[in-house]
Amino acid sequence: MVVKTDPAKAVRQAQDLIKECNRVLLNDANDLPQAFEQSADVLELLAAMDWIVLEGGGDPKAEAATTAAELRAVAAGGGQFAKNLADPASARFLMEGSAERAVLLSPKEIEAARTPADGWKRDQLAA
């Protein structure tokens, strides 16, 4: 027995799944900065307690401080990442039933847009 699925219902179900996936992704992205900050704190704590040893020698506290600073920089970027995901203008992460049309180029148009093997001449670039 073949069961027919209403295409509109299938699209709504797909939208709901995508929205749920986006919600989970956004929640995880919001947690990233805190995870990196906490990792940096633990690293600095371990270095202060002299629990870090470097195989090749060197100053563990200096290396821990450098790595902690890098983790904090990543945390700041993670916060921006979460803000970008939450931005309504981000069509990749929000699906509200509107779709943008994609323009597909013909093979001739693609070939015409390619850079010549010897590069573009100055007068071609100016045109």
Side-chain angles (χ1 to χ4, degrees):
M1 175 180 192
V2 176
V3 177
K4 292 188 177 184
T5 303
D6 177 22
K9 182 179 179 182
V11 169
R12 284 191 300 275
Q13 288 173 339
Q15 280 183 318
D16 291 343
L17 288 172
I18 290 170
K19 285 179 185 179
E20 178 62 17
C21 187
N22 290 341
R23 186 191 61 75
V24 169
L25 179 62
L26 182 57
N27 286 344
D28 289 346
N30 283 325
D31 293 340
L32 279 175
Q34 181 181 359
F36 286 119
E37 285 286 342
Q38 289 174 346
S39 297
D41 292 343
V42 169
L43 184 60
E44 289 175 334
L45 178 66
L46 292 173
M49 297 170 65
D50 292 325
W51 284 15
I52 297 177
V53 178
L54 300 177
E55 276 186 23
D59 183 10
K61 290 181 182 176
E63 289 297 323
T66 300
T67 304
E70 290 171 357
L71 285 168
R72 287 194 173 90
V74 170
Q80 185 60 46
F81 175 64
K83 287 177 188 172
N84 289 343
L85 287 178
D87 183 5
S90 181
R92 290 177 294 181
F93 298 102
L94 295 177
M95 185 172 183
E96 299 299 330
S98 63
E100 293 181 22
R101 293 178 185 244
V103 177
L104 300 177
L105 300 175
S106 71
K108 286 182 181 180
E109 290 171 316
I110 293 171
E111 192 59 36
R114 290 190 179 179
T115 303
D118 59 342
W120 295 105
K121 306 288 187 252
R122 189 176 285 270
D123 59 334
Q124 290 173 311
L125 292 173

